[in-house]
Structure formats: C-alpha cells, structure tokens
Amino acid sequence: MSSHNLKYDFNAIEKKWQQRWQDDKIFQVEVDRKQPKFYLLEMFPYPSGRIHMGHVRNYSIGDVIARHKRMKGFNVMHPIGWDAFGLPAENAAIKNNSHPARWTYENIDYMKSQLRKMGFSYDWKREMATCDPEYYRWEQLFFVQLYKKGLVYQKVTTVNWCESCGTVLANEQVIDGCCWRCDQQIIPREMNGWFFKITDYAEELLNQCDSLVGWPDKVLTMQRNWIGKSVGAEVDFPIKGGDETLKIFTTRPDTIFGATFMSIAPEHPQVLKLAGVSGREKEVSEFVERTRLARQQQNSEDEPEKEGVFTGGYAINPYTGDELPIYAANFVLMEYGTGAVMAVPAHDQRDFEFARKYNIPVKVVIQPKGEELDSAGMTEAHEGPGILVNSADFNGMNSQEAKKAITEHGNAGGFAQSRTTYRLRDWGISRQRYWGAPIPMIHCPECGVQPVNEEDLPVRLPTDVSFAESGKSPLCDLESFYKTTCPKCGGEAHRETDTMDTFVESSWYYARYCCPGDTREALQKEAVDYWLPVDQYIGGVEHAILHLLYARFFAKILRDLGYLTIDEPFTNLLTQGMVIKDGTKMSKSKGNVVDPDDLVRQYGADTVRLFSLFAAPPERDLEWSDKGVEGAHRFLNRIYRFVMENREILLETRGKAAGSLAGADRDLHRKTHQSIRKVSRDFESLHFNTAISAIMELMNSLSAAAGESSKTNIASTVMKEAVEAIIQLLSPMAPHFCEELWEIIGHKSQLSRSQWPVFDQEAAREDEITLVVQVNGKLRSRMTVALGENEETLKKMALADQNVGKFIADKDIRKIIVVKNKLINIVV
RNA sequence: GCCUGGAUGGUGGAACUGGUAGACACCUGGGACUUAAAAUCCCAUGGGCCUUGCGCCCGUGCGAGUUCGAUUCUCGCUCCAGGCACCA
C-alpha cells in the first residue's frame, strides 16, 4: 500500500487506550496534601437517552483542561455523574407503561458507554446518580436541619403552575412567562408549598458577586439583576377615619411631597376593607376580579394598560397632612415591597400615565438643572435628579441628600424608616410529581407539621407505583407511602407527598463528589476541605441564574450548617456557547441534529473532540460543519503519516536538539519552541482554537522542512523534538491518537503521565525580523534586519529603500518614528 | 425601555499592552500523480485598478474624533444575540 493512503485505525487505537487507562486507573485520585489539587467540573448531564453535541463540546473542553492540568503536575479531580431525577423520566414511563427508574438507569448505561467512547478522563469511581437513596438521603438530612434553623418553611401563596408538567415552578424556572422545560404558559395559582429562605442570603449572594473574578461579567450581571436590590424607605400613611395605616415602600423618599394619590395591589388585604367603609364594594370587587382574570390570561409579551379604581378611602401624607385618594391599581404587585405605593406622577412615569388618565393632579417637587418643569404642560414624568421645591424645609436640597434627610425626619417622627428590598423571592421547591426526592416532612393532625427523625432517613421513594394518564403523582394515592406515624406523638399522620425540585440535587453535587461513597457522612471534612472549591466549572450559559444561583446558595447554607468552609463553590466559570447547525440550534423538529455516535463511528472520538475545540472559542456558539470535521481528521492523518514515514529515524534518534544549529534546523527548532510557548499560553486562557492552529502551523513547518521524501533534510534531533512537541501539545485534545504515536516513537511510559513541555527562551528567540516601513502610516516596504539593529542604521536603510523613495522624494521629512523590532514610520 | 455582549473575506475564525488586517482551517478554482477516480501533494484565493510592480487605491457594521499610526481608544448611530422588564 502506498503511504499516501495510510490512515490511522482510530477504532483499534481508541479502544486500546481506553482499556489501558481503565486498567491502570490513571484518572482515579485521592486526597494528597503533598500535591496541588485541581478540581475540574462540568455540569453533569440529565440522562435523557443519548449524548448530544452540546455535551460533546462541554465535556471536550473540560477534558482538555483536566488533561493539561494533570500534565502540569496537578492532582486533578474530574468526576462525572447523573442529574437523574426529573420529569422526562416520569413522562416517558407514563407513555411506555414502564417505570422512571428503569428508563433512567437504562439511559445512564447507554450514555455512560458513549462518554467512555469519547475517552474523557473521568474518575469513574466517583460516578453517582442523584436518584440513588444514598445520594438524596443527605439532601433530606439538610432539609430537616434547615427546617430546624428556620431556613425552610411552608406557606400558601400564589405560585407558578405549569399545566402541562402538572407541577409548580420556582420564579427562576419561569422564562418569559413560560415553563423553562416545556415552554407552556404558566398560570398563577394559590397553593401550599415548601420554600427555601434564599432571601436571607440575598445580600451575601449579591456582595460576593464582587469576589467572583473568575466568572464572566455577563453571568454576574444577570445574577445581580435577578437579586435586584433597592434601597429606600418604608413609610406609614395613616388612613383617614380610623386607626389603621397603609405601609408603603419607596426608593424615592425625596419625592414624597409630590405624592397626589396612593396605589395598592388589587389583592392587598386592605382593599376591600377600604371599599366597605366607603360603600364602593361593588365597583372595587368587580375591578379586583377583572384584574385577577386578566392576569391569568395575560400574555407576557404586552403590558396591559394602566387601570385602577378609587377605593373611596384616603391616606394622610405624614409629611404634608395632605389627604390622598387610595386607588387599587392593576400595575401594583402584591409580592414586592409592601404591595402599596405612594404615587408621585410628576416623577414616576407609571404614576404619571395613571394620573393623566384619571385626572389626578400632578405636583412638581424636583426641578432638574437648567429646566423649569410645569405640571400642566408635562408630557412625561421627570425621573432624574434635581433640586427640591414645594417640599417645606427640604427645599433647595438636591435629591440625593433629600432621600436621606426626609427618611431621617420620618424616622424621628416614628412613621418612616430605611428599608432595603430585593426582587429575589424565596425558592419554592415543592413539586407535585413522583420522580424526585421525597420531602421529609410529616403532617400530624395533633402536632402539626413535623420533620422526619434524622435517624429515620432516607424517606425512600417507593417503587411499587402505577402512573395515571393525568400525570398526578402516584404518591398521593399510595397509602403505604403517605400513611405514617407522627414522630412526636406517635399518632396516625400523613406523610408529605410532594417531592423536591430537581435543582436541589444539582445544588450540592459538586460537594458530594469529594466523597461519593461515604455511607456515614454527607460530606467528609477532610475531602471537602482539600478539594473544594471547584477550580474550574464549565457549562451552558442557560444556567446563569437558575442552577448557578442555587448552587451558590447551597454552598452558603452548607457552610452555615458546618459542612463546608467555603463561601463560594466555583472559583472560575466558563460558559460555553451552543452548538448550532445552519445558523440555528440543533433540534429534532428542524432536522439538523448531528449524532455524536455517527461521527465517532466515522471519524473516531479524537477527530470529533479536535473539531469541536477548533471550530470556535469555547464561549462562542459553534457552527457545526461536516467539512470542518473532515479537515480535522485530515490533520490527524497527516501527522500519522509523517510519523510512520519517519518511524525508523524517530526511534533511533537519541539526544536533544541543541547547540549551534543553523538554517532549516535552527528555524524548525525555533518554531517548535515558539509553538510550545504559544500553546501553553493559549491553554492558560482557554483559547483552544488558537492553540490548535499553532500546532497546525508547527506541523506545516515540520513537513515543509523535512521535505517530500523521508530522506530528511533536517537534523534528526530537531525533527524528533518537533514531533514530540506536536504529540504532547495535541494530546489533551486527541488523547488516544497521541498516546499511540508516543508509543510508536519509542516511549515506554504513558503520555498521559508525561510532563507538559517547557519552552526554551533562547531557542524561541528570533534572530531576524521583518521590519515594516511606513510613510505617513501607510505600509510602503518591508526589510529583513537583525534583531536589535541600531536605530540610526535602520533609519538610513528605510530612507534608502526604493519604494519608500517614491513617497518621500520631494517632501520634507517631519519626523521618523521607530518602534523597536516592529516598524519605522516616516512622517512627511 | 433598561442591562450585557457582538458585528472582520464565499464560510468558521486569527490579530499580545494602539504598530504588517485576514493566522489556522473550510469552501472554491487550477495543477501534479493515476487508464480513471478516490486519497495525497503543490499553487492561487478580500475587492478594485493599470503602467503587471518588491506597484497603487479601497477595505474590520455606519459617522465623527484622538494619534505619526485605530479591528483595537473616545463620542454618536444602525443592526443582531442574550438577559431583565409595570420591582415602586
């Protein structure tokens, strides 16, 4: 066979090395205080059935980092597991008349085999699935402990209900008014449910965003916005004709003298009472009912017109004594602040629109610089800063000072105080579905709600269940499950049948990986103290708020329960872009899905890994290209052919490329060391695409220098050095392939255990450079000169240049700028 | 509306702290090898101009500015993607 047709046998090679790595257990790690640790984690997969290209990309990026860090001498923990609870399993079970556990574990088996075929360097001994009672028992323990600390509570409230999933969702799980999973419109519903008190940690979650310097700004911004802190004041407005007061929250106490009415949420408990006193029940309750219905049907896209109804009641502005009519208004939210606001139409756009609609007076109290606002002629509110007017003692102050002064004044008078609110709500974790971790609580008719005794955990999810078409959780009707005894009085009691949001499992799995097999403790102190925090975390940006916020919250509560000593779980975060095809996200309905199995069969795992790293930088979307994959495969074959053609020389050659090299030898030697430098730097900044192109350049230089035939034109030591550099530098991306070549050229020990190459400063140095000559900033000529050539000589050479001469011929030379080793610019 | 990013050849993408725009690859065209094809290798490949040169002009979304010099910095726009959105 002609050597041009020579191709590497990726099937055999990949199988061989996967087996060898497994036998030698080289990716299994233990706590070792003598070695620096590196904890690399990718977001674990949901076992949906098959690996998709997004996984391939995510895990390829992670594996490159893991393998590189290992070669750099770190004790690298790189675990994998399964986010195994969730609705698709249950839906599939209903459809196929099967069981979610069976569906889940079958999927895990298959996907595991797919991951193994990709050659990822996982410590498989740490594999775990969150649906395993040995996993969720600890979660139930945390739940009980948090309950005892008051960080878990139950309340009846308006929740987000997804009809198609048959369950409640947390606020974070509602995207544009629709379910994050199935995209159906959610509807508000009154329900009882369990909540984690994440709002207790709002301030810390916000503050520590500043410490997350290894996170993308985009994600931090999203988290900060989600938490939504606002600083302001709470003010009590007495209600006319009674002892009651109406409490409002405002961020603009400086505008309080401009309040001309009050607006309160339709659901506000005082609405109907006020209407009752004034005899306006009919109008008001009609309005409340109408708004409620409108909200249920409301399409999240369009904002309904501002509407309200006068309740008949008046509130008294404690600063002015003014009587302000109280309106129930459709744009006031019960869930935020106190559910009631003072309305200052001159300085709030919503209040302005409302006031114009209902002919309520507008009173200017803030004058912006260089303008004269006139309440009658205003067409929109002035929300910016300015100087106070019509505000009694506070006139003349700027709005910033006035906020403080007015709050203090109210504080002294006993009717106002500083207050900070957050947009973040408590995390509702009750799910009305079966396939999740049971909430370890018991409802006793005598003693009320009681936690399950810690020694009785886990509360196992029963397996002897049958599913209804409706999707209603079988736990509700399973007597053997819900019928229990009260842990306090021993009487007959009812077990909680809701399960936990599956985001709870993924909120702490990174910690459990440190000691996955421990049956006595949730988190082994020695292990978590050594391994945590995760040094590099990688996953899709779609979890910027959801999972990443919950995981941060769990780090803090586990710290406060005494399990962890870290504040933040992930030191560095990489959010990789999507894999797209033909400009859109891959999806079955669009028919543009690329199946990793097919690709691995056709080209081998190394090629697939290589292409997915080469085609785009990690954080950007990656446009899949079948032709591009072929290009990556060709590249590997070129290396293979080169090594095979020069095998004898490579095997025989001993000793280092060094000493006085000249000509092509010197050039290739230099290129090799420059490539090591470039690739090493690119690895530190996670620019794998440019690292690969640098290796391609080195390969191009090598084949050009070696010449067409194998009768090499270059020193064998220099050639071998270049070949070894290529193999080592490429090995994190194409590990099986490189291991094989490493062995072929005579190495006895595994490449995976070798040391990352170090570049030689001296070898990488250029002795000649191309100096650019510009005239007025335009490129006119190039000169090849010795590195560090004297400036005067360079100027003379530049001026003597023929082409340059054409442009400076009859002009005065004003200035000559010399940038060392780069360029000369002649200004005429 | 607000907050993030982004816009570079036919395509994916390079360009370190302002200093040769288009690295590396894909596509395409041409050539070598071959009876032929595949594979492989070589050459060309941003647009335009002519006087065909080691040439000139234009060119990094648009318009200004700073600078000897701007893909890079500043200001003002346009478009695209993502996030938030009656949050008082």
Side-chain angles (χ1 to χ4, degrees), chain A residues 177-292:
Chain A
C178 296
C179 173
W180 70 285
R181 189 188 298 108
C182 70
D183 222 28
Q184 287 294 303
Q185 175 115 30
I186 65 106
I187 49 176
R189 190 165 155 174
E190 286 280 301
M191 262 179 105
N192 194 7
W194 290 96
F195 288 80
F196 281 152
K197 223 171 180 182
I198 192 169
T199 51
D200 270 18
Y201 288 82
E203 189 62 33
E204 196 189 341
L205 286 165
L206 179 68
N207 275 334
Q208 286 182 358
C209 282
D210 297 341
S211 72
L212 296 174
V213 293
W215 283 39
D217 285 339
K218 177 174 56 167
V219 175
L220 293 174
T221 308
M222 282 163 74
Q223 293 227 344
R224 288 189 184 107
N225 288 345
W226 189 261
I227 294 166
K229 178 178 180 172
S230 14
V231 178
E234 227 170 53
V235 185
D236 292 317
F237 284 62
I239 289 171
K240 187 186 170 191
D243 310 328
E244 294 201 29
T245 60
L246 185 63
K247 196 184 271 299
I248 62 104
F249 171 73
T250 180
T251 56
R252 295 297 303 274
D254 53 321
T255 64
I256 202 159
F257 286 83
T260 56
F261 64 101
M262 309 292 282
S263 8
I264 64 177
E267 316 90 301
H268 197 286
Q270 281 171 304
V271 165
L272 293 174
K273 207 183 295 174
L274 287 166
V277 172
S278 64
R280 292 179 53 83
E281 289 115 317
K282 192 155 169 277
E283 293 95 317
V284 174
S285 56
E286 260 175 30
F287 173 78
V288 170
E289 185 57 20
R290 192 148 43 89
T291 322
R292 199 178 62 79

Side-chain angles (χ1 to χ4, degrees), chain A residues 12-24:
Chain A
I13 290 173
E14 290 178 2
K15 210 170 159 194
K16 166 181 165 184
W17 289 101
Q18 281 160 17
Q19 190 60 49
R20 191 115 16 127
W21 293 328
Q22 193 182 340
D23 293 346
D24 296 354

Side-chain angles (χ1 to χ4, degrees), chain A residues 459-580:
Chain A
V459 176
R460 281 173 190 276
L461 188 65
T463 50
D464 53 331
V465 290
S466 51
F467 296 93
E469 273 300 323
S470 67
K472 188 185 171 206
S473 168
L475 297 180
C476 302
D477 303 316
L478 191 69
E479 202 179 278
S480 61
F481 178 74
Y482 69 69
K483 202 170 165 189
T484 186
T485 51
C486 172
K488 196 171 176 192
C489 69
E492 205 168 273
H494 194 274
R495 196 183 286 287
E496 172 67 59
T497 53
D498 280 355
T499 52
M500 283 192 244
D501 181 1
T502 57
F503 277 97
V504 180
E505 283 89 62
S506 54
S507 294
W508 68 284
Y509 78 112
Y510 55 86
R512 182 65 182 174
Y513 273 139
C514 298
C515 53
D518 197 309
T519 53
R520 300 180 333 272
E521 294 182 87
L523 299 169
Q524 254 171 39
K525 191 153 179 48
E526 199 205 356
V528 292
D529 284 354
Y530 176 73
W531 290 114
L532 293 177
V534 173
D535 296 281
Q536 179 69 60
Y537 195 39
I538 309 167
V541 73
E542 64 273 17
H543 287 111
I545 299 170
L546 286 159
H547 160 64
L548 289 168
L549 186 69
Y550 297 147
R552 292 182 62 212
F553 167 58
F554 253 75
K556 294 172 199 309
I557 57 180
L558 291 177
R559 174 199 63 197
D560 293 346
L561 288 175
Y563 290 100
L564 302 178
T565 52
I566 54 163
D567 295 319
E568 287 289 340
F570 313 124
T571 308
N572 293 294
L573 174 70
L574 175 64
T575 49
Q576 109 262 6
M578 288 187 304
V579 180
I580 58 175

Side-chain angles (χ1 to χ4, degrees), chain A residues 261 344-357 360 362 375 377-382:
Chain A
F261 64 101
V344 185
H347 305 293
D348 182 287
Q349 187 57 29
R350 291 158 302 180
D351 297 343
F352 184 84
E353 286 169 31
F354 195 89
R356 284 286 190 250
K357 181 168 180 174
I360 304 169
V362 174
S375 58
M378 286 171 84
T379 53
E380 57 176 10
H382 168 73

Side-chain angles (χ1 to χ4, degrees), chain A residues 618-639:
Chain A
E619 62 280 1
R620 255 206 260 185
D621 283 352
L622 183 154
E623 171 74 35
W624 195 262
S625 152
D626 296 335
K627 293 290 186 184
V629 180
E630 278 177 36
H633 193 60
R634 263 201 298 271
F635 174 59
L636 294 181
N637 271 319
R638 274 178 65 207
I639 300 174

